[in-house]
Amino acid sequence: MNNPAAYPARLEIDYPEKLDRFTTFFRLVWIIPIAIIFGLISGAGETVTNTVFLNEAGEVIKTTRDAVGGMASGLSAATALMIIFAQQYPRWWFDFARELTRFETRVGAYLVLLTDQYPSTVDEQSVHLEIDYPDLETDLNRFMPLFKWLLAIPHYIVLAFLAVGAIFAVIFAWFAIMVTGQYPRGLFDYVVGVSRWGLRVAAYSFLLVTDQYPPFSLD
């Protein structure tokens, strides 16, 4: 694809003219409540409980193990199965995945200092993320979910290096905000570009909303 802006997954974040130094300084503290909420919804963490029963002689007679995950922990695998075996992508399922991705992106944008707006679970705020609902007959090959994760490996490698650069960019931006109250525009565009690139790869290989191979572009 020659035009990244036409890709079925798009991300734009409004550039803030001024950022609050106080909330920026304590950002890792302020984000904890909403990060916990996101973790519970997405299944980012897993709780494992082991229960051991003893008889009168003190011998172990039964051990149980329970793992608790979030609603979205198997979202990608379940979507792949629906496309492969039923050639279906229910609209309500797509809407849930899109809204969860939007929420995740708002939390991420707040974490990396791109906005002062505390992440909402509902409102778009300054983070504008769009994902097009696919037409299964024309947009998706039912067997592609078996291979997409493999085909996306070059993107994973590039994104790993870009993510390291983004970490240093955010650290530098933190100091810049402490001094000037502004996020350097070049660093802002780079961090947003990495997020945009990651969104396109996620839409292709995990959300499975398109068979169009993601462009290697920050734009």
Side-chain angles (χ1 to χ4, degrees), residues 38-111:
F38 173 72
L40 292 173
I41 294 174
S42 66
E46 185 176 84
T47 302
V48 179
T49 302
N50 292 300
T51 306
V52 178
F53 296 92
L54 305 177
N55 60 17
E56 294 180 355
E59 297 173 340
V60 177
I61 57 174
K62 184 179 181 180
T63 301
T64 62
R65 183 175 181 177
D66 298 314
V68 180
M71 288 188 298
S73 58
L75 186 62
S76 181
T79 302
L81 291 173
M82 284 192 294
I83 294 173
I84 294 170
F85 293 104
Q87 205 167 4
Q88 294 180 350
Y89 202 141
R91 184 60 193 245
W92 70 268
W93 190 277
F94 166 85
D95 290 341
F96 171 76
R98 182 185 59 188
E99 293 307 315
L100 182 62
T101 303
R102 285 174 170 169
F103 179 41
E104 176 185 13
T105 305
R106 288 193 293 269
V107 174
Y110 185 71
L111 174 63

Side-chain angles (χ1 to χ4, degrees), residues 81-176:
L81 291 173
M82 284 192 294
I83 294 173
I84 294 170
F85 293 104
Q87 205 167 4
Q88 294 180 350
Y89 202 141
R91 184 60 193 245
W92 70 268
W93 190 277
F94 166 85
D95 290 341
F96 171 76
R98 182 185 59 188
E99 293 307 315
L100 182 62
T101 303
R102 285 174 170 169
F103 179 41
E104 176 185 13
T105 305
R106 288 193 293 269
V107 174
Y110 185 71
L111 174 63
V112 297
L113 314 177
L114 298 175
T115 178
D116 273 346
Q117 295 178 306
Y118 201 75
S120 169
T121 57
V122 178
D123 297 331
E124 184 179 64
Q125 299 179 312
S126 62
V127 180
H128 313 291
L129 187 153
E130 293 297 335
I131 301 175
D132 298 337
Y133 180 66
D135 184 330
L136 268 73
E137 294 184 359
T138 60
D139 297 337
L140 299 178
N141 182 308
R142 67 189 306 170
F143 299 110
M144 280 297 291
L146 296 172
F147 310 105
K148 284 182 177 180
W149 63 272
L150 183 63
L151 296 174
I153 287 178
H155 280 282
Y156 305 152
I157 296 173
V158 175
L159 279 171
F161 287 99
L162 293 176
V164 173
I167 291 172
F168 285 103
V170 172
I171 294 173
F172 186 86
W174 184 89
F175 285 102

Side-chain angles (χ1 to χ4, degrees), residues 20-51:
D20 185 83
R21 293 179 175 89
F22 182 77
T23 59
T24 297
F25 185 85
F26 291 103
R27 186 57 49 91
L28 292 179
V29 176
W30 296 152
I31 201 172
I32 290 175
I34 199 69
I36 292 174
I37 292 172
F38 173 72
L40 292 173
I41 294 174
S42 66
E46 185 176 84
T47 302
V48 179
T49 302
N50 292 300
T51 306

Side-chain angles (χ1 to χ4, degrees), residues 172-187:
F172 186 86
W174 184 89
F175 285 102
I177 295 169
M178 289 295 100
V179 176
T180 67
Q182 291 184 317
Y183 206 122
R185 188 58 190 256
L187 297 180

